[in-house]
Amino acid sequence: MFLLPDIVKNALSSSAEPTETPADGHYWYFPADIKQAILDQNTSKVRKAKQKHADDLKPNLDLMGKKGSDAYVTVTNESNKQQYQLCETDTGIMWTYTIDIQHIDAKVKATVAVGSFSKTAKILGISTTTLTNLPSQIADLTISTIAAKVVGTFVAQRLGGAIYTAALAAAETAATAGLEAAGVMVSELVVTIASFVTGLIAFIIVGLVVYFVLSAIHKSFGLQVNVYNWSTTEEWDIVEWYGDNADMQDTEKKSEPFKPANLPAVTNKITLPDKTTVTSDDLAASYATYTVVNDNNWMEGVGIGLKAVSNTTVIYMKYVIHWRVDNELNLGSAASAESLEKFYKGPWAKADTMSMKLELSASGSLGATPIIALTPALSGESSHMYSYDVHIDATAKQ
């Protein structure tokens, strides 16, 4: 279940409806007008909302860049007196919160959440993961403190230009400090937390990606692909990628640059710390983020193809940044090509296409599935950083 700090819950409206526990993963809650802009394929409005969201949370990341994990402070949630870690600025809130902790056979099982909320844009992001086989003496505040140290240190290192493995090592060192004496070995815990929060951090502000991809690593072009699942009934998995002069970021092994992702079915119901259930008009999507840069940066762009599957359906998506001419994109289904590579090497949408919609046929008890693709720009980005958003089953609220 999603437990939000009291500091965030006032942005949502409460309801007494029951809720189900969503699967571990990454989720975004968007205001209704932004969801409508996606449905309308209004690339300009979506771009402005994402920029406002980035502007709101940039001070939080800047604070982490200066202070590392000290950007977080320990606070007490008023409604249930639980302590958690909070990083708040005038425009944004980030937190780490232990949702649940259980003692099972002398071991601890805990669910931890890392969250962000942009006060102006009203966009809420939550990533949750369940940790098992933790030492029996670990406490809920210890877990959220470790998570805060990982996030704060990792962000500070990446903003400072450190590569992924160096940033991860620094985060592990910071999180482990002072805990060995208590017999708490957190190496595996740190790696798990770092793995699940990096997607959230990368999405929070594209400028962060610009800093650590383009400036620090001296690449010429960057591309961030965000895939959202809006379905309340069907989960999707991203199972394959195809790279065109592409170096996948956030990986320590060049030979294994791709991590499959699960996009669970979603709910717009959230449980608050006081056990109140919130049903928000700000609808939810689970998501995954992939960032690539051009491997050879001498007069070459970069492209990527991704394959997403459900129980019955295949989706292909692709985007390419060209060196001198406008970028291109396309969507496809299993009928488009027999493999992701052949789809990538096949036709592109017509020139100047910034948005498109693909309607997948109904299957079994499921209705037709709309797929919407959007890009805010096909050329002219001064940062040389572009984004491509693909929304699965984004439909109007009934």
Side-chain angles (χ1 to χ4, degrees):
M1 65 187 69
F2 290 147
L3 290 177
L4 297 184
D6 294 341
I7 197 170
V8 178
K9 71 178 183 179
N10 291 335
L12 303 170
S13 58
S14 63
S15 167
E17 295 181 29
T19 185
E20 296 181 357
T21 302
D24 286 354
H26 307 287
Y27 301 84
W28 287 101
Y29 288 74
F30 294 92
D33 63 327
I34 303 307
K35 172 69 177 294
Q36 189 59 52
I38 294 168
L39 297 177
D40 295 339
Q41 300 177 55
N42 187 335
T43 57
S44 176
K45 187 168 183 176
V46 172
R47 176 176 185 159
K48 289 178 180 177
K50 292 178 71 172
Q51 185 60 54
K52 187 183 294 183
H53 174 252
D55 291 343
D56 279 355
L57 290 169
K58 188 175 185 301
N60 298 77
L61 299 183
D62 287 343
L63 191 61
M64 292 181 197
K66 294 176 182 178
K67 295 186 175 183
S69 60
D70 289 339
Y72 284 89
V73 296
T74 301
V75 296
T76 301
N77 207 54
E78 287 302 316
S79 63
N80 64 352
K81 305 305 177 184
Q82 182 174 340
Q83 290 185 307
Y84 67 100
Q85 299 295 312
L86 176 70
C87 173
E88 184 184 16
T89 66
D90 290 342
T91 55
I93 304 169
M94 294 181 66
W95 68 92
T96 66
Y97 200 113
T98 304
I99 295 174
D100 183 55
I101 186 165
Q102 302 176 39
H103 294 266
I104 304 172
D105 296 330
K107 292 290 185 179
V108 168
K109 175 182 178 182
T111 302
V112 62
V114 175
S116 69
F117 181 70
S118 53
K119 295 181 181 179
T120 304
K122 305 295 185 184
I123 296 176
L124 170 69
I126 304 174
S127 291
T128 67
T129 191
T130 299
L131 310 166
T132 58
N133 295 320
L134 301 176
S136 59
Q137 65 269 42
I138 202 163
D140 57 352
L141 181 60
T142 304
I143 297 170
S144 61
T145 300
I146 292 171
K149 285 185 176 182
V150 171
V151 176
T153 306
F154 191 86
V155 169
Q157 289 287 313
R158 294 309 293 265
L159 286 174
I163 62 173
Y164 179 85
T165 49
L168 186 61
E172 181 175 339
T173 299
T176 307
L179 293 175
E180 296 94 334
V184 180
M185 302 304 294
V186 297
S187 177
E188 184 177 348
L189 173 61
V190 170
V191 172
T192 302
I193 291 174
S195 176
F196 94 88
V197 301
T198 48
L200 178 79
I201 294 169
F203 181 90
I204 283 174
I205 181 169
V206 175
L208 174 64
V209 182
V210 174
Y211 292 146
F212 73 66
V213 172
L214 303 181
S215 298
I217 305 180
H218 306 294
K219 298 293 185 180
S220 296
F221 289 103
L223 171 62
Q224 185 182 77
V225 181
N226 303 299
V227 186
Y228 304 85
N229 178 24
W230 294 86
S231 175
T232 58
T233 58
E234 189 171 25
E235 69 176 280
W236 288 78
D237 292 287
I238 302 176
V239 297
E240 184 182 350
W241 88 298
Y242 178 84
D244 180 3
N245 190 40
D247 179 9
M248 183 78 75
Q249 297 300 294
D250 289 344
T251 177
E252 54 275 77
K253 296 180 181 179
K254 284 270 188 176
S255 60
E256 299 177 9
F258 171 75
K259 295 178 182 178
N262 175 254
L263 308 181
V266 295
T267 175
N268 64 331
K269 298 180 177 65
I270 309 172
T271 300
L272 303 177
D274 60 3
K275 305 305 180 184
T276 301
T277 298
V278 161
T279 301
S280 173
D281 288 335
D282 306 348
L283 299 186
S286 57
Y287 84 103
T289 296
Y290 294 95
T291 302
V292 293
V293 297
N294 50 343
D295 190 31
N296 178 5
N297 60 3
W298 176 248
M299 299 184 68
E300 287 191 44
V302 59
I304 184 175
L306 291 171
K307 178 181 178 180
V309 301
S310 66
N311 287 332
T312 58
T313 311
V314 172
I315 300 171
Y316 296 125
M317 60 202 81
K318 62 180 181 177
Y319 191 100
V320 63
I321 299 172
H322 293 297
W323 183 264
R324 293 186 180 277
V325 298
D326 284 357
N327 305 336
E328 295 179 287
L329 57 85
N330 206 359
L331 290 173
S333 64
S336 304
E338 60 186 33
S339 71
L340 176 60
E341 181 176 357
K342 288 187 177 181
F343 173 73
Y344 185 85
K345 293 179 178 179
W348 295 82
K350 67 179 182 180
D352 300 325
T353 297
M354 295 180 65
S355 68
M356 62 184 304
K357 185 174 182 179
L358 175 68
E359 194 87 14
L360 300 180
S361 301
S363 176
S365 61
L366 299 174
T369 303
I371 314 296
I372 296 174
L374 305 168
T375 185
L378 294 171
S379 62
E381 292 284 14
S382 59
S383 66
H384 293 179
M385 186 76 199
Y386 293 86
S387 64
Y388 181 45
D389 295 345
V390 177
H391 298 271
I392 301 173
D393 206 10
T395 55
K397 186 176 180 182
Q398 300 299 316

